[in-house]
Structure formats: structure tokens, C-alpha cells
Amino acid sequence: MNKPKMTTEKGIPSNSRVLMLLGQLEKMNGETVFSDVEVARHVTAKILHLIQTQEKTRKEIMAKGSSGIEVILTSLESTRDLQTVLNILYILNELVSVGGGYRVGVLVSKGGTAILLQLLLSASKESPPSDELMLHLHSILAKVGPKDKKFGIKARVHGALNITVNLLRQNLQNHKLLLPCLQVLRVYSANSVNAVSLGKNGVVDLMFKIIGPYSKKSTSLLKVALDTLGALLKSKTNARRAVDRAYMPMLLAVYQDWHRNDTRHRHMLIRKGILGCIKNITNIKPGRKAFIDAHGMKILYSTSTECLPVRTLDPLVNASSLVMRKCFPKNRLPLSTIKSVFQHTLPHVPAEGPVAQIYSQPPDVDDVLDDSDDNDENDTENDTENEEEEKDRNAQNDDIETDISKLRPKQNLGRPLQELKLYERFFPELSQDFQLYFDSEGKCLNPPAPPATKSIGPIIVPTAQVQAPPNPGPAHWEACLANDEPGPAHRETLSANDEPSDPPLHLESIHLSNDCDHAHWPQQARELARELERMALDGADSPPPNAVNGQRPPTPGEAERDFYCHRESEDDRDREREEDSSSLSSGEQAVLEVPDMAALLPLHDPELYIHMVKSTCSVPQYSEVAYPDYFGHILPPFREHILERVYGVQRLKIFQDIERLIHPADILEKVVYDLDLRLHSCPVISDGEALKFNSQFESGNLRKAVQVRRFEYDLILNSDINSNHYHQWFYFEVSSMRVATPYRFNIINCEKSNSQFNYGMQVLMYSVQEAIGGRPRWIRTGTDICYYKNHFSRSSLAAGGQKGKSYYTLTFTMTFQHKDDVCYFAYHYPYTYSTLKMHLQKLESLRTPQIYLQQDVLCETLGGNGCPVLTITAMPDSPAADHICQFRNRPYVFLTSRVHPGETNASWVMKGTLEFLMSSSPTAQSLREAYIFKIVPMLNPDGVINGNHRCSLSGEDLNRQWLNPNAELHPTIYHTKGLLQYLSAIQRAPMVYCDYHGHSRKKNVFMYGCSIKETVWQTNASATSCDLQEDLGYRTLPKILSHVAPAFSMSSCSFVVEKSKESTARVVVWREMGVQKSYTMESTLCGCDQGKYKGLQIGTRELEEMGAQFCVALLRLKRLTSPLELRHPSHFLDLETEVIQTNCKATSPTTYVLEEDEPSFLEEVDYSAESNEENADDDRTSDTEAALT
């Protein structure tokens, strides 16, 4: 007898018993018809027995290189004998039941799916079909289907859908056959086209016949039925069908029943399955309405509340939370318009764009809310068969520039040289002979001292007893300053810290004065700081003139409101005096001597700051100064760690929001601050125990405050001027707080889809009590911080035409430490335009004979403010010709900053750079001798002054105007670009250009640069080797920074050029001026996750250090690129290797983010910021969805 011709894997004996049996089967397959049915039954039965009893038999059949599975499938396809078919199905079932997905994959790859479906079709034609055959056939299909990506299409083509549905209808009471049928239906329904077809065939109604109330029987069957129904309801057509048949109340009733009876929580998957069905129905607008009408909010809220104590039930709580957030009725912001409270008339309105749209908008248009509904998608079903391929296509980045001609830098001045000569006056260093700077012996003369500022005198906290002018306002403020008197509202804030503090100082009872006699102060800063901590209140023997009948003067908040807005009744004031009279001894007022802070803050001068405020022009015509800007900021003596968020905090906050809908009677909805009232009355609305808010000072931003509960406030930010969006930056004052009482603050109109507030960042607070106590500083504070999508609809007019968008809420809780305190909250460390002017003037005092410092005003902004430009370098050694030649031939470094007002960290980095450049250290002197620095420290003064987040007064993002800036609308960009174009025209293009920015959704400090090679590598664009020839010097500076600056992260840098960034400074300077080392340097708003500062939130110390280290890196860059170093270019070989390694490790390209200078948020997300995971993130971000905790 000849042995069967079976192919076997090496190592398996060819005379194996199972292989001999398979050989017999193969021989029978070769015959036209199975001639001997009994032999076929006998052989298949023997194979089944071997498989059931010997694991090695399974391995032999499924081994790589074995054709055993093909023989079995061929036999299944050719035989017509029922018993043989059943034996083969038993064999296949045994094979795929163990061994994981590999064995199923082998079966699919051998064409098993089509053979099984064809057998199903054939078996259905039998009358009646064999129940046993259908049972085992569906059991195998249920295992095979999930592993076959084309299973849904194959099943539909073979007509298997109706066969399974009919079998299901006929066997509703036959649970043994019902289970595998449901399992196969679940796989069918994963295909959207199949789901629609099954829904039309009545399968949705069929599922509701199987689903029922709590029962300990057939729980496995019910679980599969719920999964199948959930898959069907992903189709919007089926979801509408469920709504029309009133299945939503039924699902809620079933869920309640299981919740009540499943007391031991053994059937959590069934309860989760019911919630999944509810969630899918609520993906459509009628489904959400049906959910609300069926009291779904109350049902899920009550059941979730009962589940909260049990940690294992978190999946139920999370699913319920997603449904409730999605169904929460969309509300409009409590505003009459989303346009900024303030308007500024433009020289001319752009022909197109968002600003033109605002100006052309009819006055009666409701721009706060339009007819849009979140998650309301098109009615058409998705007929895409290859859904995985579609997802892959959608995931591809279409923003990376692929046009090689656009990637290749081309020198393009854009303006004639004759016109560019206008900027020659800003480069006197290229024409001066320096004869006046040296004496006859060749010694450098001291530069003239800066003019001394006039003393403003003591600073007195205003009280209601001060005689107020009849019409207080900007005119009065100017008069106060002109007479060397303090304005009525010098404000400061202070934050609580971890140090033990002195008893709280009562602001209403203190008199502040600058001590002009410095003789008694210690010489060293440490001694001064120690003296500062020892400051105490000196009680007066008799009531001061301000006190009336021995009573205390009002608090600063009361005084300011009374000074500006005489709206508090005398009864209210008398009642407040009676309540607080016990806090002070009758007839006593404390006086605090505030020392000169010059030793601790050498570049801060409160008197000079007030002087600078006088010349700052604001659209609202601010007449107040914030205390933090006046007092200044001293570094805290402690490190501030990234906050570890408490488990479940976001869920808790969302539940509190949902309570507003369930218990509306508990909500106050009391407006306590409204900037829209400023033209008619005071925006501060005093009402009993409510907090008092204010933001009417430079860089302030708070539009409205609404008290929703006794200790909870909704806050609304103002849009950028001449805009209707960009809400992120905030800076406001709070007073009249209670001590040791947790207050919740909700900023409800944020726009970004995620924030570092979800990953450990805290808000900043400044306490006036602490400042007066000798600790004037901003500190990170707040608990229960999270950032999530809310129920306030965002108009399509403010969302680029996109409908269905919502705002986001930043919520935090604050417990105040001092009575009668005045506190300030900010998004990041404030740095105002007046602060910059003060610092620049103070820099003059640091100038030595060796420093060349030139300050000019580049242009005037739309708001009438000057844009300063600085030139810093080292003086030539002498006026000799060779020294002057060496001086003029120094390469330029061009630095800019603060184009986006809300990125205040950029100004702190710039401050560090300027201080280092003006320092007397040998390193700084070497750096000045190496380069000429041309610096524009604030590109957007108007935006900074008026509290904008991103735009200038033109209502446009200035960092999107570099390609074609308008001299009238974008003067600072137009003329800064003119400076660069002039340098390029005279063949003196900068060696380095860097624009300082801040980043809201990434940690660390990093750079964006420009590279043809790295851009092409991120795409499928074809390019010749000639096109990819590129000097890798663009990586040198970031690489140096990664070694010298602890906060800098090389791994976060990107050198890809994107289409959406073609009009940014970095790309335009690289492309048009040919500056290879053109960068954007981004500093985190949060903190670091690597290096020396890992786990710490970033502060002004680290930001200023970054600015200084940038200078150090430039000096090393100079040495690396010197002719001597270029003879040994080993570091360039290292850069080449690093580029290749970086490209190989790249897993995700930078992704386009609408209106952002940053890639999508790629940090692992632990807390969902979305209301449901089906929706794509706003602004096309790719945030990872996770369970809500």
C-alpha cells in the first residue's frame, strides 16, 4: 500500500498516524464523488479521536508547512454526507478552540471562511435543516469571524445574514442554538452596511425580545444579545428605529432593574452592555431627547452615585458619565455677544478672513449660539467596506509640506533695496566711527547714565475716607500720577505658600510707605531677606485720620469699589463694619514699613513702574494697577512639584455640573461681575457674601463672573479685541473671601481640546497679604484641577464654520488663608508691557564701558504704543580701523519674543537673555564680542496690554502674517521683517534667528526648526539625492542646548516644515532670508518630565535660566563653527547619525493643529477631556481617549 503524499514539516515523522489518515482523506478528495461514505466517516472519526486525545496531533495538523488543514477543508467542501460533515466540523472546532488566534488565522488564510459560509448556504436549503449542523457551523463562524477582516462582506455576498436571522427567529426558545447565532450576528453587525441591512430585517426588534429584566438564568445569552444590539445601534438608522419604537424607556427600566437586583455585582458586564446600547442611541439628537424625556439623567445620576463607593464599578460610572455629558442640554454662554467687550477701530478692514466676517456681520445676528447640535452627524450611513484602510488614510498627516520647490530656501527680499534703506538708521553700529566713545588715550568712556525717575512718594492703601473725585476715571488717574500721588487702586495679589506665616495682616488697617533711608538695611541680599521676614506691624497710639469713631477703614476691595462706584448702601457698610469690628482693637491702625526691594529685585522699581504705566495706551483706558505688577515677584524658596491629581476628581466635577440640571433650585445664577456694564455703571456688583472680582488693569482678562452656588463661580473670559474667540489667558483679582472655605472656580469658555491642567499644572496666585508680609511672589496653587468638555455650545461663527462644537471648562478649588485678602489668579506668570519698559530702562544701569547698548523704537503699534528694538554687543577695543572692522564684521543674532500675548513665559525667557547679555561675567563679554544681538523683545505690545491671548488689535494672529504683513494692520511684523530683509539685502543675514514662544500642551523646553531632509522623510514624497543635500548645522544649536540647559529636551524638537506654518516667522526667515538656523523656541507652561527639573512645575527662575543658557549655547556654537573647529567636523557626523536614528524611531509625524504653533498633544492621556470617544478631538488633535476617572 502506497503511503499518502502529505507535505510535512521537518521533524515530524512522515509515517505519523494522523498523517496517514489525512493521506487517505486526500485520496478520497481526488475522486469525483465520495464512493465509500463509511470509509470517510471512519477516517474523520479517527482523526477527531486523535485530536481530542493527543495535543501533538493538533500540532502536526497546524504545523507550519503542513497541508493538513487544506485536506480537511477540501473534504468539507466535497462531501455531502451529514455525519462526515459533522465530524469535520468537530475537528475544526477542536483545532480553533485552543492555540489562540494563530490557528484561526491559518484557517482563514486557507479560505476556510468562504467554505464555511457556502456550507451554511447549502445546509439552509435542506428541509428541515439539521439543528446540530447549524449549531456547530455557527460556533465555528463565531470564532473565525473576528479574525477575518472581510468577514462581513463575505457573509453578505453568500447570503448568510438572512439565514442566521431566520434561524434565530425559529429558535428563540432554543438557547443552545440561540447563543452561537447571536455570536455570529454580533460579528455580522460590526460591518456598518450589514448593520443597516439587519436593522431593516427586524433584528433590532428581535434583540429586544431577548433582552429582559433581571434573571440569574441565561446571563451569557443576554450578554451576547446586548453586545449584538450595541453593534446594531451604532448605525444611526437603527438608533432612530429604536427611538421610534420607544425602546429608550425600556432600556432604562431594564438597567434600573439590574442595578437594584445585582447587589453582589456579579453581572457588571450585562449592566455595562445596557449602558453601551443607551450610549449608541444617544449619538443622535432624537436619541438624546428620548433619553431626557425618559428621565434618563436622574436615573443614571442616582445609579452612578450609588456605584461610586465601589471602585470595581468604575466602568459603569464612567459609561454613565459619558452618556449624561453627551445628553446634557446644550446651553448658550450667558453673554449678549461673543465678540470682545472692547473694540478698536482699524485703519482699514481686511478684504477677507475672520476680522472681515466680524465687521460684515449684521448687528441683529445672534453670534453666541446657532442651530447646531454636538455629535449630530450626516444621515447617510458609512458604506465603506474597508474600514481599517479608511482609518489609516484618515490618520495620515496631510499638513506636511511635500513640494520640494517650496521647501528649498529662496532669498526673496520682497521689497526694493531703496525702500529697505529706511531701516539703515536702526543699524548705527555698521556706520559709527566710535570717536566719541574713547578719550585721547584710547580708553573707553563711561556711557551716559539713564535719567533718574522722579520719586512718587509713599504708597497708601486707599480707603473710603479718601475724598473721591466726582467722576473718577482715567483723567483722575493721570492727575494722580502727574501730582506724584498714588492712584486709587494700586493692586497686588499674593499666594499662599507652605511656609509658616505670620498672623494675617489686615489690609484695611495698614499704611504702606517706601523706606527711602537705606542705611539701616543689611548689605547682603540674604540679610535683607531675613530682615524682610522679621517685618512687624507697629500699633499706633491713636486712631489715624482715616479712622472714623474708632472703626476700621473699609478693606481695599470695599474702598476701591466705593471709590469708583458709589453703589453700596450705608446699611451694608455699617453691617460689614459691625461684623469685622472684633478683628482690630478699637482706635488702632497698624503701619508697615515696606523696605526697598532693589537688592532682591534689581530690575524692578515700583515707582518706575508707575511712571511707565503713564505712557502705556490701552483700549479700555485702564486706570488701575495690579498689585503683583507693582510689588514685583520674588522667587519662592521652595520647589513646586507637578500636582498629582486625585483619582476621580474630573468625574466628581462633572457630576456636580450634572446636579445643576437635576436640582435647578439649588443654583443661584447671580452675576457678581460683568465687564459689559462698564459703559453704564461699575462692573463690580457687590452683593453680601459674594466674592468681588476685577480685571480692569493691564493684561487683565475676566469678562463675567456668575455665582452658581454659595462657594462656586462660573467665570467667562473676554475674547481678543476685534475677535470672537481665543479664550485661554486669564488674569483677575478676587477679594472679600472667607478664610478656610473651599471655593470652586470654573472658567467655562476655554477653547483648546486639552490642557496641561489635566497633567499636573496648577494656576498661579498672588496674595497681597503675603506680599505685605514680605513674601511678594506668585505661587502655584489650587486643588481638584481638571479640564474637560462642557455643555456650553460654541457658535460656528467662532469655530471656523464648524458646527456642534462645545467649550471646555478649567476648574480648580482654592482655599484662602487670610481674612480680608486680595488675591490675583493668572494663567501663567504675568509680564506686562509696562514691566518690559521698566526692565529696559533698568538695563541701562547695568551698562559698562565695555557694553554697546542701543535702544530704539521700531514703530508705533495700532494702539499707539512703541515697539522697542535693542542692539547689544561689545564695544570695539579702540577706534582704530582694524578694531572697527572687526566690530562691524561680527555675525548677527536676531531674537524676537511675545508675538502671542498669552505666552508670558516667552517674556521671562527673554528677560533672562537680556540680563545675561548685560551682565559683567567673562562669558557674557565673550558672547558680546562674538555677536551683534538685534532684539525685539515684544512683538505684540497691544495684545499684551489689553489682555489678549493670541491676537493683536487687528484681531489676527501676528505669527500668521510674516508671509505678507500689512504695514498698517501689522506694523510690528512688517518692520521687524524689514529689519531682517535689510540685513539680507546687505549680505548680513543673521547667523541665528530665534522666536521665543510658550507651549500649552507639552512639557519641557524645545525647538522647532526647518529641514528639507527631515520633512521629506516624514512623507512619501519622492526626492532626488540632490534635493536632500543639506547642511546639518540646523541641529547644532538645539543639540548644544540639550547639554547646557536642564529644561531643554532634544527629543521634543521637530524640524519638519508644515503647510499651515508657512507664514510663521521661523519658516519665512528660513525660506526668504536663507537663515538656516531659524527657530521657534517653545517653553512649557507646565513643567518638565526629564532632566534636572523632572517632576517640577516651571517657574520664573527656570525660565530666566533658560534665556541665559541660550546665550551660553550661542557662545559654544560660535566656537564649534570657528575655522579651527571646522577642521575637525566630528560633531557634524554625530548630527548625521542622530538625524537617521531619529527618523527610524519616528512613530508619528507632527500633526496639524488649527490655529496653533504646536503639534498635537501626544503625551499619554490618563483622563478624558471629551464627552464621548466617537468624536474626533477639536482642532484635529489626536488625544488618546481613556476611561473617565
Side-chain angles (χ1 to χ4, degrees):
M1 182 177 178
N2 294 329
K3 293 182 179 180
K5 297 179 181 179
M6 284 289 300
T7 57
T8 63
E9 186 183 19
K10 185 178 180 181
I12 296 178
S14 59
N15 59 353
S16 167
R17 187 177 179 190
V18 70
L19 294 183
M20 294 177 63
L21 292 171
L22 287 171
Q24 294 181 39
L25 205 57
E26 184 181 29
K27 184 178 179 181
M28 297 171 66
N29 292 341
E31 300 174 1
T32 307
V33 181
F34 261 55
S35 55
D36 194 340
V37 174
E38 289 299 328
V39 174
R41 291 179 181 178
H42 176 74
V43 172
T44 53
K46 284 289 185 179
I47 295 173
L48 176 61
H49 176 72
L50 290 173
I51 289 175
Q52 289 175 333
T53 57
Q54 299 179 15
E55 173 61 26
K56 69 174 185 178
T57 303
R58 298 194 189 100
K59 292 181 179 180
E60 289 178 26
I61 295 175
M62 303 301 298
K64 185 178 180 181
S66 172
S67 60
I69 193 69
E70 294 174 342
V71 173
I72 293 172
L73 288 173
T74 303
S75 300
L76 181 63
E77 191 175 17
S78 58
T79 186
R80 295 293 179 268
D81 178 60
L82 177 60
Q83 187 58 51
T84 303
V85 170
L86 288 174
N87 288 346
I88 295 175
L89 290 178
Y90 289 141
I91 292 170
L92 293 175
N93 203 19
E94 288 289 337
L95 289 174
V96 300
S97 295
V98 292
Y102 169 74
R103 294 182 179 179
V104 178
V106 172
L107 181 61
V108 172
S109 67
K110 302 299 183 181
T113 305
I115 294 173
L116 291 171
L117 290 171
Q118 185 60 46
L119 179 60
L120 178 65
L121 179 61
S122 301
S124 66
K125 296 178 180 178
E126 299 291 332
S127 183
S130 169
D131 287 352
E132 189 176 5
L133 176 60
M134 288 296 186
L135 171 64
H136 292 288
L137 197 52
H138 280 86
S139 296
I140 298 174
L141 286 171
K143 296 181 177 72
V144 171
K147 298 296 181 181
D148 189 345
K149 293 182 179 180
K150 306 287 186 178
F151 184 78
I153 303 172
K154 294 174 182 177
R156 188 168 67 253
V157 170
H158 283 83
L161 273 61
N162 289 335
I163 297 173
T164 303
V165 172
N166 292 334
L167 189 64
L168 190 70
R169 284 198 178 97
Q170 297 165 9
N171 294 274
L172 287 176
Q173 303 305 318
N174 184 358
H175 290 182
K176 186 178 180 181
L177 183 57
L178 191 60
L179 182 60
C181 288
L182 286 172
Q183 290 171 335
V184 174
L185 272 178
R186 179 174 58 186
V187 185
Y188 291 164
S189 303
N191 181 281
S192 58
V193 178
N194 289 351
V196 175
S197 177
L198 290 170
K200 292 178 181 178
N201 206 7
V203 178
V204 173
D205 301 319
L206 205 57
M207 292 300 102
F208 278 100
K209 292 181 180 179
I210 300 172
I211 297 170
Y214 175 79
S215 173
K216 293 182 179 180
K217 299 178 181 180
S218 306
T219 54
S220 298
L221 186 70
L222 182 57
K223 172 64 176 64
V224 177
L226 286 168
D227 290 346
T228 305
L229 179 60
L232 289 168
L233 292 175
K234 287 182 179 179
S235 159
K236 290 179 286 296
T237 302
N238 291 337
R240 291 188 198 92
R241 186 174 287 111
V243 173
D244 294 341
R245 287 165 172 72
Y247 287 143
M248 176 62 79
M250 176 183 171
L251 284 172
L252 289 169
V254 171
Y255 182 73
Q256 275 187 298
D257 187 61
W258 279 89
H259 173 79
R260 281 193 300 264
N261 292 285
D262 185 24
T263 55
R264 303 184 72 175
H265 313 305
R266 292 181 174 178
H267 304 295
M268 190 179 69
L269 292 178
I270 292 177
R271 294 157 66 179
K272 188 177 179 182
I274 300 171
L275 289 174
C277 295
I278 295 173
K279 179 175 72 70
N280 290 340
I281 294 177
T282 55
N283 281 336
I284 62 172
K285 188 174 182 178
R288 292 191 284 278
K289 183 178 184 302
F291 178 81
I292 296 294
D293 293 343
H295 308 291
M297 294 292 284
K298 291 184 179 180
I299 292 171
L300 292 193
Y301 176 80
S302 60
T303 55
S304 299
T305 304
E306 293 172 9
C307 291
L308 282 175
V310 185
R311 187 75 172 264
T312 56
L313 297 181
D314 277 356
L316 299 181
V317 178
N318 294 339
S320 298
S321 177
L322 289 174
V323 174
M324 288 188 286
R325 292 177 69 187
K326 184 165 38 173
C327 296
F328 201 112
K330 294 299 176 184
N331 291 351
R332 65 177 287 143
L333 285 175
L335 298 174
S336 58
T337 176
I338 56 175
K339 288 183 289 189
S340 174
V341 174
F342 309 113
Q343 299 297 320
H344 180 79
T345 303
L346 299 178
H348 68 270
V349 179
E352 56 184 13
V355 180
Q357 181 184 14
I358 290 176
Y359 273 83
S360 62
Q361 186 176 301
D364 58 341
V365 169
D366 183 2
D367 62 352
V368 181
L369 190 64
D370 52 24
D371 295 329
S372 63
D373 190 271
D374 204 7
N375 313 320
D376 209 16
E377 303 153 359
N378 287 330
D379 291 340
T380 57
E381 295 294 341
N382 177 17
D383 292 332
T384 303
E385 300 289 2
N386 303 323
E387 292 166 349
E388 293 298 325
E389 296 175 11
E390 184 72 16
K391 289 179 182 177
D392 292 340
R393 283 197 297 271
N394 292 338
Q396 292 179 358
N397 189 347
D398 60 355
D399 187 44
I400 297 178
E401 183 59 73
T402 57
D403 188 341
I404 300 297
S405 64
K406 292 184 178 179
L407 285 174
R408 193 178 296 109
K410 299 177 182 178
Q411 186 167 346
N412 177 22
L413 296 180
R415 297 162 68 181
L417 180 60
Q418 195 64 30
E419 182 181 334
L420 291 174
K421 285 187 177 180
L422 163 73
Y423 300 102
E424 187 175 2
R425 65 187 182 90
F426 293 104
F427 297 90
E429 64 274 9
L430 298 180
S431 58
Q432 284 182 350
D433 58 11
F434 290 93
Q435 296 296 329
L436 298 178
Y437 288 80
F438 294 87
D439 59 16
S440 58
E441 298 179 359
K443 293 183 179 180
C444 190
L445 300 173
N446 289 324
T453 57
K454 192 174 181 180
S455 174
I456 295 180
I459 300 167
I460 304 172
V461 175
T463 70
Q465 281 70 38
V466 179
Q467 183 63 39
N471 294 307
H476 170 70
W477 173 252
E478 295 293 340
C480 290
L481 294 176
N483 295 326
D484 298 334
E485 298 174 2
H490 288 182
R491 305 175 177 273
E492 297 118 19
T493 62
L494 132 109
S495 13
N497 55 59
D498 298 334
E499 297 177 327
S501 58
D502 297 330
L505 308 175
H506 296 281
L507 300 181
E508 72 276 7
S509 62
I510 64 173
H511 173 276
L512 297 178
S513 65
N514 275 343
D515 187 359
C516 299
D517 181 9
H518 308 299
H520 65 281
W521 289 107
Q523 297 298 317
Q524 287 81 13
R526 182 177 301 176
E527 294 177 3
L528 177 59
R530 201 160 47 240
E531 184 72 15
L532 214 59
E533 293 293 329
R534 289 200 298 265
M535 288 189 305
L537 292 173
D538 298 323
D541 294 335
S542 59
N546 288 350
V548 180
N549 299 327
Q551 300 288 340
R552 67 159 181 86
T555 64
E558 295 167 1
E560 289 150 7
R561 305 301 180 262
D562 187 58
F563 188 86
Y564 282 97
C565 328
H566 302 278
R567 77 160 52 93
E568 290 186 0
S569 67
E570 290 298 327
D571 292 340
D572 290 339
R573 281 199 282 267
D574 292 341
R575 183 165 53 252
E576 290 177 12
R577 292 191 183 100
E578 291 173 3
E579 291 174 354
D580 295 333
S581 60
S582 61
S583 63
L584 291 173
S585 300
S586 177
E588 293 185 348
Q589 183 183 41
V591 177
L592 174 67
E593 294 292 331
V594 180
D596 187 352
M597 306 298 289
L600 293 178
L601 293 172
L603 289 188
H604 187 88
D605 183 344
E607 297 180 356
L608 179 58
Y609 182 81
I610 296 298
H611 184 75
M612 293 302 169
V613 169
K614 293 171 59 176
S615 60
T616 297
C617 304
S618 63
V619 174
Q621 298 182 343
Y622 292 130
S623 59
E624 302 176 17
V625 175
Y627 273 118
D629 304 325
Y630 175 81
F631 264 131
H633 163 69
I634 295 177
L635 299 173
F638 47 84
R639 296 291 187 182
E640 296 174 299
H641 292 268
I642 290 176
L643 184 68
E644 183 176 348
R645 190 157 76 169
V646 178
Y647 179 83
V649 62
Q650 179 171 308
R651 184 173 60 196
L652 177 63
K653 299 299 180 182
I654 292 169
F655 274 36
Q656 290 176 359
D657 290 349
I658 292 170
E659 288 175 3
R660 299 189 189 189
L661 180 67
I662 298 174
H663 306 295
D666 297 340
I667 305 304
L668 301 177
E669 294 292 347
K670 186 185 300 180
V671 178
V672 296
Y673 179 76
D674 191 350
L675 205 56
D676 290 271
L677 300 177
R678 79 197 188 287
L679 297 177
H680 310 289
S681 60
C682 180
V684 181
I685 303 170
S686 180
D687 186 8
E689 295 183 346
L691 293 177
K692 295 178 181 178
F693 295 84
N694 184 39
S695 63
Q696 297 182 92
F697 44 80
E698 187 174 347
S699 294
N701 189 325
L702 178 66
R703 179 170 185 167
K704 195 169 188 176
V706 181
Q707 186 180 19
V708 291
R709 295 185 178 95
R710 187 179 181 187
F711 301 115
E712 181 178 355
Y713 295 83
D714 281 353
L715 309 179
I716 300 175
L717 304 180
N718 191 26
S719 301
D720 286 3
I721 293 178
N722 279 327
S723 171
N724 56 15
H725 58 306
Y726 297 118
H727 313 106
Q728 208 77 20
W729 165 258
F730 58 86
Y731 184 17
F732 59 87
E733 170 201 300
V734 177
S735 60
S736 299
M737 67 282 289
R738 287 171 172 255
V739 176
T741 299
Y743 287 88
R744 177 182 172 183
F745 299 96
N746 311 308
I747 299 176
I748 62 173
N749 64 331
C750 299
E751 294 174 335
K752 292 189 177 182
S753 60
N754 213 326
S755 168
Q756 281 291 320
F757 284 117
N758 273 338
Y759 309 96
M761 187 167 85
Q762 294 175 281
V763 298
L764 284 152
M765 191 189 78
Y766 191 110
S767 164
V768 176
Q769 286 280 16
E770 291 285 328
I772 293 173
R775 295 173 292 277
R777 54 180 170 243
W778 288 97
I779 65 166
R780 302 276 188 171
T781 190
T783 58
D784 295 345
I785 302 174
C786 54
Y787 187 97
Y788 57 89
K789 193 173 185 180
N790 61 32
H791 57 278
F792 290 101
S793 286
R794 187 178 174 195
S795 170
S796 61
L797 296 174
Q802 300 178 72
K803 291 191 175 184
K805 298 298 180 182
S806 294
Y807 286 105
Y808 291 78
T809 291
L810 163 63
T811 181
F812 62 94
T813 299
M814 182 63 208
T815 302
F816 298 99
Q817 304 299 318
H818 302 299
K819 180 178 173 59
D820 296 326
D821 202 354
V822 177
C823 293
Y824 290 74
F825 291 98
Y827 182 59
H828 199 67
Y829 300 93
Y831 191 102
T832 66
Y833 173 67
S834 297
T835 299
L836 173 68
K837 293 193 295 181
M838 175 189 68
H839 284 166
L840 294 183
Q841 184 154 331
K842 295 289 286 185
L843 280 175
E844 292 278 358
S845 63
L846 302 179
R847 181 165 54 174
T848 65
Q850 289 75 37
I851 299 177
Y852 178 93
L853 171 65
Q854 179 76 30
Q855 293 194 35
D856 296 295
V857 176
L858 177 62
C859 61
E860 190 174 88
T861 67
L862 285 173
N865 297 287
C867 178
V869 57
L870 283 74
T871 306
I872 302 175
T873 188
M875 292 289 290
D877 293 338
S878 75
D882 55 341
H883 289 156
I884 297 297
C885 181
Q886 185 276 337
F887 173 87
R888 293 176 180 174
N889 285 326
R890 293 170 187 167
Y892 274 92
V893 171
F894 205 110
L895 305 178
T896 56
S897 181
R898 204 68 184 281
V899 70
H900 295 142
E903 297 168 5
T904 59
N905 45 357
S907 283
W908 289 100
V909 175
M910 179 58 75
K911 179 175 181 285
T913 295
L914 292 173
E915 288 188 34
F916 184 87
L917 289 175
M918 294 299 296
S919 68
S920 58
S921 70
T923 305
Q925 179 62 21
S926 298
L927 186 64
R928 292 190 294 266
E929 291 172 354
Y931 299 105
I932 298 175
F933 286 86
K934 193 69 68 172
I935 302 173
V936 183
M938 190 172 284
L939 284 169
N940 192 351
D942 290 341
V944 172
I945 294 166
N946 293 287
N948 286 3
H949 173 65
R950 197 167 185 86
C951 299
S952 68
L953 293 186
S954 70
E956 297 169 294
D957 181 349
L958 290 183
N959 204 35
R960 292 295 185 277
Q961 311 305 323
W962 279 81
L963 201 59
N964 188 26
N966 183 283
E968 290 185 313
L969 296 178
H970 325 116
T972 59
I973 304 302
Y974 181 84
H975 293 296
T976 302
K977 185 177 181 181
L979 295 178
L980 287 157
Q981 289 172 321
Y982 175 75
L983 285 174
S984 183
I986 63 173
Q987 307 303 312
R988 295 296 303 276
M991 178 178 176
V992 174
Y993 170 78
C994 191
D995 190 19
Y996 292 1
H997 280 254
H999 203 293
S1000 67
R1001 290 191 283 184
K1002 291 184 71 175
K1003 291 183 171 68
N1004 310 312
V1005 181
F1006 51 94
M1007 278 181 161
Y1008 295 138
C1010 303
S1011 164
I1012 299 176
K1013 183 180 294 186
E1014 297 195 39
T1015 302
V1016 171
W1017 278 350
Q1018 290 286 356
T1019 68
N1020 295 322
S1022 59
T1024 65
S1025 58
C1026 182
D1027 290 328
L1028 297 182
Q1029 290 298 320
E1030 184 176 41
D1031 183 357
L1032 296 178
Y1034 65 88
R1035 272 185 169 259
T1036 308
L1037 182 58
K1039 187 67 176 177
I1040 296 171
L1041 280 169
S1042 69
H1043 291 293
V1044 303
F1048 194 86
S1049 170
M1050 186 68 188
S1051 62
S1052 297
C1053 295
S1054 172
F1055 303 93
V1056 174
V1057 180
E1058 295 160 313
K1059 298 174 186 175
S1060 60
K1061 310 298 170 53
E1062 66 176 2
S1063 57
T1064 61
R1066 162 178 62 100
V1067 177
V1068 169
V1069 173
W1070 171 71
R1071 182 177 290 165
E1072 296 186 7
M1073 286 73 162
V1075 179
Q1076 182 201 36
K1077 299 178 180 66
S1078 178
Y1079 307 102
T1080 297
M1081 187 165 73
E1082 301 272 2
S1083 301
T1084 178
L1085 291 166
C1086 177
C1088 299
D1089 58 12
Q1090 53 88 46
K1092 175 182 175 182
Y1093 300 133
K1094 182 177 181 179
L1096 297 177
Q1097 296 187 74
I1098 203 161
T1100 57
R1101 175 195 293 108
E1102 293 76 26
L1103 292 169
E1104 292 183 47
E1105 177 191 73
M1106 186 65 233
Q1109 295 294 354
F1110 181 81
C1111 295
V1112 173
L1114 287 173
L1115 187 57
R1116 292 197 181 183
L1117 176 68
K1118 176 68 174 178
R1119 291 168 180 169
L1120 276 175
T1121 54
S1122 67
L1124 183 63
E1125 287 289 336
L1126 288 177
R1127 296 176 187 173
H1128 307 283
S1130 59
H1131 67 284
F1132 288 112
L1133 296 177
D1134 295 338
L1135 290 174
E1136 177 75 39
T1137 303
E1138 182 180 284
V1139 170
I1140 296 173
Q1141 291 175 346
T1142 302
N1143 181 64
C1144 294
K1145 293 178 182 178
T1147 57
S1148 174
T1150 48
T1151 306
Y1152 171 66
V1153 181
L1154 183 65
E1155 297 293 347
E1156 293 293 340
D1157 276 342
E1158 52 195 58
S1160 61
F1161 186 80
L1162 300 179
E1163 182 178 353
E1164 182 180 356
V1165 178
D1166 299 320
Y1167 307 97
S1168 170
E1170 294 291 335
S1171 63
N1172 78 83
E1173 65 268 24
E1174 273 77 40
N1175 286 352
D1177 287 330
D1178 287 356
D1179 296 344
R1180 298 176 64 183
T1181 57
S1182 58
D1183 299 343
T1184 305
E1185 285 296 339
L1188 192 64
T1189 56

